[in-house]
Amino acid sequence: MKLGQVMHDKLFVFLEKYLTLTKDEKQVIVSLDIFHSIKKGTVLLEEDQVSTNSFFVLNGCLRTYYIIDGEEKTTAFYTEMEGITPHCVMSKRPSEYYLSAVEDSLIIVSNLEMEEVINSKFPRFEILCRRLSEDRLAKKQIDLDEFKTSSPEQRYLNILEKRPDLIQRVPQHQLASYLGIKPQSLSRLRARILEKK
Amino acid sequence: MKLGQVMHDKLFVFLEKYLTLTKDEKQVIVSLDIFHSIKKGTVLLEEDQVSTNSFFVLNGCLRTYYIIDGEEKTTAFYTEMEGITPHCVMSKRPSEYYLSAVEDSLIIVSNLEMEEVINSKFPRFEILCRRLSEDRLAKKQIDLDEFKTSSPEQRYLNILEKRPDLIQRVPQHQLASYLGIKPQSLSRLRARILEKK
DNA sequence: CTACTTTCTTAACTTTAGTGAACGCTTACA
DNA sequence: TGTAAGCGTTCACTAAAGTTAAGAAAGTAG
């Protein structure tokens, strides 16, 4: 489904944080028909699937999760202006995790062939991708560091401060898993925090 | 300190996993004098420092750590053929963590200006950097996922299997911190595992 | 070599997370 | 509309990590 100018603009405001684009370059990107609207619950990537698709969230929320011993383990949420290149795209091996929509979402789906097309018509795209990827890497490292250096309670308080929207829009059991604990522990932890105040 | 052909070769074997290089291109890289030998304990990056240096380990072991409430929190170890671009290089803001040598090490130090030089003489370097960065990002995501989805005991068993060298070459209290627990808990955990067998 | 510091381990006790079960509450759907 | 399934919370109990303290072992400096 093609979407309007608003979505295009939203994308370019984001991309131009990394590299200023000409009208022609923007046209190359728009011409690829990469904008999609998906329903809550849509699975974009399954375990064991080999996909070459990368995703970018314009609106809504996606999550990645593993199924380990029959249990869902949510490892990441992606919301507005965040992108994901699943590990399987790089490794060209079957995916170890799932990617699905927590809410109805507006996303961009690109794949390796499209990137080839863009890179050939628009060589500076390589620079854009490098900067984007380096930026994401640095952020991911910070995420990992924060997780390692804090307790579940601190992690919850951290989310409460930095991504309070998540607590509203995401089911508690997914949030618990994301914090590295069980839903029961999250309930308890929240009660504990309320008590302290 | 300049080092011999062996080190150069080691680097190129690594880089050519991502992009085949010509003799001239290799010469551009070698001419930059980026090889360094450092002593155990050398601090390469300090908290609050703004550095533009990236590092690559040819031999030895580096670690990143935070000091939180006066306590060291080790978040990563980098050994042979692993590279680090500290967050502060990307954000151009003061570093939140330290980087230092766990052992005497042979490393490559590069900075943003050098990358400019290489990129201008050798445009395909941009592609190399992108691939390297995307690959590192995917690995970092897997690291984070593994940490989130496992208990300290599972993490220890995982290290025992995948990076057994770390257990030998790294002090226990740094390893404990890396696993997200206190040194006392690591001692106990190891005793528990031995008992089970 | 000795004195000092750092590292590692053990122990007792406290705090927190995991587990299994039960209870309302909402949602889905037959 | 009634039944079932799923979700969030609470509880009692178990298991594991944090905390504090002490002592043994290893490494370092004078």
Side-chain angles (χ1 to χ4, degrees):
Chain A
M1 184 203 284
K2 264 199 179 166
L3 291 161
Q5 190 60 38
V6 179
M7 283 303 128
H8 295 174
D9 286 350
K10 215 167 167 183
L11 173 62
F12 294 129
V13 166
F14 174 80
L15 291 182
E16 294 202 318
K17 282 196 291 188
Y18 297 94
L19 190 67
T20 307
L21 302 173
T22 67
K23 221 173 170 182
D24 282 352
E25 286 168 343
K26 290 183 187 176
Q27 191 47 49
V28 172
I29 292 173
V30 169
S31 71
L32 288 168
D33 187 30
I34 52 182
F35 296 84
H36 294 78
S37 169
I38 58 170
K39 285 274 161 214
K40 173 177 174 174
T42 305
V43 176
L44 296 166
L45 174 67
E46 285 187 68
E47 188 179 353
D48 290 331
Q49 191 182 337
V50 183
S51 161
T52 60
N53 289 340
S54 287
F55 307 89
F56 185 82
V57 182
L58 288 165
N59 230 307
C61 181
L62 308 183
R63 71 184 249 266
T64 52
Y65 59 98
Y66 292 70
I67 294 187
I68 298 174
D69 300 331
E71 219 180 341
E72 274 188 18
K73 301 263 192 178
T74 298
T75 51
F77 294 106
Y78 297 88
T79 54
E80 284 72 21
M81 301 299 113
E82 292 186 322
I84 323 137
T85 299
H87 186 240
C88 67
V89 175
M90 299 308 303
S91 68
K92 300 186 190 292
R93 314 186 62 215
S95 178
E96 285 159 27
Y97 54 81
Y98 296 78
L99 175 66
S100 79
V102 174
E103 310 170 341
D104 293 352
S105 304
L106 288 166
I107 62 170
I108 289 171
V109 182
S110 70
N111 61 45
L112 289 180
E113 298 101 73
M114 283 180 188
E115 285 174 25
E116 296 283 322
V117 172
I118 300 184
N119 276 324
S120 64
K121 290 192 192 176
F122 164 24
R124 288 161 73 237
F125 192 66
E126 196 71 56
I127 298 177
L128 176 62
C129 284
R130 198 202 77 188
R131 291 186 186 164
L132 196 56
S133 166
E134 284 180 349
D135 197 44
R136 278 192 208 165
L137 174 59
K139 287 212 179 81
K140 192 59 73 179
Q141 178 67 57
I142 296 290
D143 277 358
L144 177 55
D145 290 353
E146 281 187 352
F147 195 90
K148 275 196 180 176
T149 58
S150 59
S151 66
E153 182 168 332
Q154 288 171 315
R155 282 173 215 147
Y156 179 77
L157 292 171
N158 194 37
I159 294 232
L160 207 54
E161 193 188 333
K162 294 195 183 156
R163 295 182 76 177
D165 57 302
L166 271 192
I167 295 170
Q168 302 306 321
R169 67 207 288 194
V170 158
Q172 294 301 302
H173 66 278
Q174 290 177 14
L175 190 65
S177 171
Y178 178 70
L179 295 171
I181 57 178
K182 302 285 165 188
Q184 296 93 319
S185 297
L186 178 54
S187 281
R188 194 163 37 193
L189 185 156
R190 300 175 74 168
R192 205 161 62 216
I193 290 173
L194 281 175
E195 229 170 63
K196 284 184 191 166
K197 290 186 182 169
Chain B
M1 184 204 284
K2 261 201 182 167
L3 291 160
Q5 191 61 38
V6 180
M7 284 301 130
H8 295 174
D9 287 348
K10 216 169 167 182
L11 172 63
F12 294 129
V13 166
F14 174 80
L15 291 181
E16 293 201 319
K17 282 196 290 187
Y18 296 93
L19 190 69
T20 307
L21 302 172
T22 67
K23 220 173 172 182
D24 282 353
E25 286 167 342
K26 289 183 187 176
Q27 190 47 48
V28 172
I29 293 173
V30 168
S31 70
L32 287 167
D33 188 30
I34 52 182
F35 296 83
H36 294 78
S37 169
I38 59 171
K39 284 273 162 216
K40 173 178 175 174
T42 305
V43 176
L44 297 166
L45 173 67
E46 285 188 68
E47 188 178 352
D48 290 331
Q49 191 182 338
V50 183
S51 161
T52 60
N53 288 340
S54 287
F55 307 89
F56 185 82
V57 181
L58 288 164
N59 230 305
C61 181
L62 308 183
R63 71 185 248 265
T64 53
Y65 59 98
Y66 292 70
I67 295 185
I68 297 174
D69 299 331
E71 216 180 342
E72 273 189 18
K73 302 261 190 178
T74 297
T75 51
F77 294 106
Y78 296 88
T79 53
E80 283 72 19
M81 300 301 113
E82 292 186 320
I84 322 139
T85 300
H87 186 241
C88 67
V89 175
M90 299 306 304
S91 69
K92 301 187 188 293
R93 314 186 62 212
S95 179
E96 286 159 26
Y97 53 83
Y98 296 78
L99 175 66
S100 81
V102 175
E103 309 170 339
D104 292 353
S105 304
L106 288 165
I107 63 171
I108 290 171
V109 182
S110 70
N111 60 45
L112 289 180
E113 299 101 74
M114 283 180 186
E115 285 173 27
E116 296 282 322
V117 172
I118 300 184
N119 276 323
S120 64
K121 289 192 191 173
F122 165 24
R124 287 161 74 237
F125 192 65
E126 196 71 57
I127 297 177
L128 176 63
C129 285
R130 200 202 78 186
R131 291 187 185 162
L132 196 58
S133 165
E134 285 181 348
D135 197 44
R136 277 193 209 165
L137 174 58
K139 286 212 179 81
K140 193 60 74 180
Q141 177 67 56
I142 295 289
D143 278 357
L144 177 55
D145 290 353
E146 280 187 352
F147 195 90
K148 276 197 179 176
T149 59
S150 59
S151 65
E153 182 167 332
Q154 288 172 316
R155 282 174 215 145
Y156 179 77
L157 292 171
N158 194 38
I159 293 230
L160 208 55
E161 193 189 334
K162 295 194 183 158
R163 298 182 73 177
D165 57 302
L166 271 192
I167 295 171
Q168 302 306 321
R169 68 207 286 194
V170 158
Q172 294 302 302
H173 65 280
Q174 290 177 11
L175 191 64
S177 170
Y178 178 70
L179 295 171
I181 56 178
K182 303 283 163 189
Q184 296 92 320
S185 297
L186 178 55
S187 281
R188 194 164 34 191
L189 185 156
R190 297 174 77 168
R192 206 163 59 217
I193 290 172
L194 281 175
E195 229 170 62
K196 284 184 191 169
K197 290 183 183 172

